[in-house]
Amino acid sequence: MRFIVLLISSTCSFLSAPCSCMSFNPETRRLSVGLDNGTISEFILSEDYNEMMPVKNYQAHQSRVTMVLFVLELEWVLSTGQDKQFVWHCSESGQRLGGYRTTAVASGLQYPLRDRNSLQRAYLLASLFHKLWSEAGDVTGGVTALCWDPGRRVLFSGSSDHSVIMWDIGGRKGTAIELQGHNDKVQALSYVQHTRQLISCSGDGGIVVWNMDVERQETPEWLDSDSCQRCEQPFFWNFKQMWDSKKIGLRQHHCRKCGKAVCGKCSARRSSIPRMGFEFAVRVCDSCHEAITEEERAPTATFHDSKHNIVHVHFDATRGWLLTSGTDKVIKLWDMTPVVS
């Protein structure tokens, strides 16, 4: 991965409030900018990208715009805000077409372009994603980023618990594949459809490129037991067995591969399990450690350091370039052709 020096042109426009989010459509060269005061300002860029022409302003929200998305097929501008409103406007007339009040501030917004009747689903993914699936026990932190694969109809979500989850929506199987490769909260996602690779970026500057063209497995559910399911030693809350066996209870752990409840002695080894999304070494029981082959330990992701706190990314598939912006007020352009191919 090679860093490219980005030259900033003199093209600029002064806004009525600080920018909070942006959406750019290369086909129409339409730039939609969400502002801290709830306004969405729209611009058209010239063919040589040396001029920005103001088009219109949408009075979309009562407070900061959190996400904005322009849908060319419908000529709609979708947006969410800190006022807990999800609204959509007609980009031609500027008229508000509809809105819905969410139960929490939306942290991500994706629209499945191949399904013209799925606006309700787009709202569901943006606003209720954390609420619905955290109740199911699959998400342990707030959703911080979303990315949609229109080909396989798969949704990727990044979370503050450092994980990425792949949700099989199109297959209607309800499967959820975990990807564990970050040491900080995941703040941006981008999917490269033609190579089936996922790019995830975290708050500590880490960039992970995942190979999603491999067969992955769901992580098992953790089993409940009052004693180790390997050596049958009691856990510290199993007073009856502790009394009968005259042994001190042990602390409970779980094998990440089989999900069994085991003691520390029976799970002292560590191993990576990339097919299950564990790129780092995790706790496994002795039996699973012996069963895991070197082929199963082969990594399915590459790791890179951007050296800044990434909050937004955009991948240009035609050039193979990745644009990252961070809290350090720096924009970086990366040549990803050596790793995204």
Side-chain angles (χ1 to χ4, degrees), residues 25 27 70-76 111 113 116:
N25 183 271
E27 297 182 42
F70 173 67
V71 183
L72 176 60
E73 287 76 6
L74 301 177
E75 295 184 345
W76 285 0
Y111 186 81
L113 296 176
R116 296 174 65 90

Side-chain angles (χ1 to χ4, degrees), residues 50 195 200 242 245 307 309 314 322:
N50 282 326
T195 62
S200 60
M242 288 167 56
S245 61
K307 300 188 184 303
N309 186 338
H314 176 76
L322 180 73

Side-chain angles (χ1 to χ4, degrees), residues 74-308:
L74 301 177
E75 295 184 345
W76 285 0
V77 177
L78 313 179
S79 65
T80 59
Q82 285 190 338
D83 57 358
K84 300 181 182 180
Q85 290 287 337
F86 169 61
V87 299
W88 52 101
H89 291 79
C90 174
S91 62
E92 293 297 315
S93 64
Q95 181 182 359
R96 174 170 168 155
L97 301 177
Y100 199 94
R101 182 170 179 80
T102 65
T103 58
V105 177
S107 56
L109 180 62
Q110 287 285 301
Y111 186 81
L113 296 176
R114 294 191 178 184
D115 189 351
R116 296 174 65 90
N117 298 319
S118 57
L119 180 61
Q120 183 178 0
R121 178 177 293 174
Y123 152 70
L124 183 66
L125 300 183
S127 305
L128 299 183
F129 192 85
H130 170 57
K131 181 176 184 296
L132 290 178
W133 277 299
S134 62
E135 290 176 355
D138 292 314
V139 178
T140 57
V143 175
T144 52
L146 291 176
C147 185
W148 175 254
D149 173 14
R152 294 188 294 173
R153 300 181 63 80
V154 168
L155 180 74
F156 298 96
S157 68
S159 175
S160 58
D161 64 1
H162 312 173
S163 68
V164 177
I165 298 182
M166 181 180 73
W167 307 88
D168 180 15
I169 295 177
R172 301 180 183 274
K173 297 179 181 179
T175 56
I177 305 298
E178 287 188 51
L179 303 175
Q180 302 282 352
H182 287 281
N183 295 314
D184 203 342
K185 67 177 180 178
V186 180
Q187 300 195 137
L189 297 171
S190 182
Y191 184 71
V192 188
Q193 188 173 356
H194 68 283
T195 62
R196 290 192 176 183
Q197 288 174 288
L198 176 70
I199 302 173
S200 60
C201 305
S202 57
D204 60 357
I207 299 178
V208 183
V209 181
W210 304 87
N211 179 11
M212 303 309 299
D213 200 26
V214 297
E215 184 179 353
R216 295 189 176 274
Q217 306 170 15
E218 280 192 285
T219 53
E221 292 187 11
W222 286 4
L223 302 178
D224 293 327
S225 178
D226 292 329
S227 58
C228 176
Q229 295 181 304
R230 292 298 179 191
C231 66
E232 299 184 353
Q233 293 291 320
F235 293 133
F236 63 84
W237 61 83
N238 189 352
F239 296 110
K240 184 179 185 304
Q241 187 175 350
M242 288 167 56
W243 178 263
D244 294 340
S245 61
K246 301 297 187 294
K247 293 180 179 179
I248 298 176
L250 305 176
R251 182 182 175 185
Q252 177 183 259
H253 301 279
H254 284 91
C255 173
R256 294 331 189 247
K257 191 175 191 305
C258 65
K260 289 185 177 181
V262 289
C263 66
K265 184 178 180 180
C266 293
S267 60
R269 298 184 180 184
R270 303 291 186 270
S271 174
S272 61
I273 320 174
R275 296 300 175 94
M276 283 188 172
F278 297 114
E279 292 290 334
F280 302 147
V282 292
R283 181 185 296 271
V284 292
C285 65
D286 294 342
S287 299
C288 288
H289 188 274
E290 295 175 1
I292 299 174
T293 63
E294 289 302 319
E295 183 181 354
E296 291 178 307
R297 291 190 177 96
T300 61
T302 59
F303 300 85
H304 314 273
D305 185 10
S306 68
K307 300 188 184 303
H308 73 149

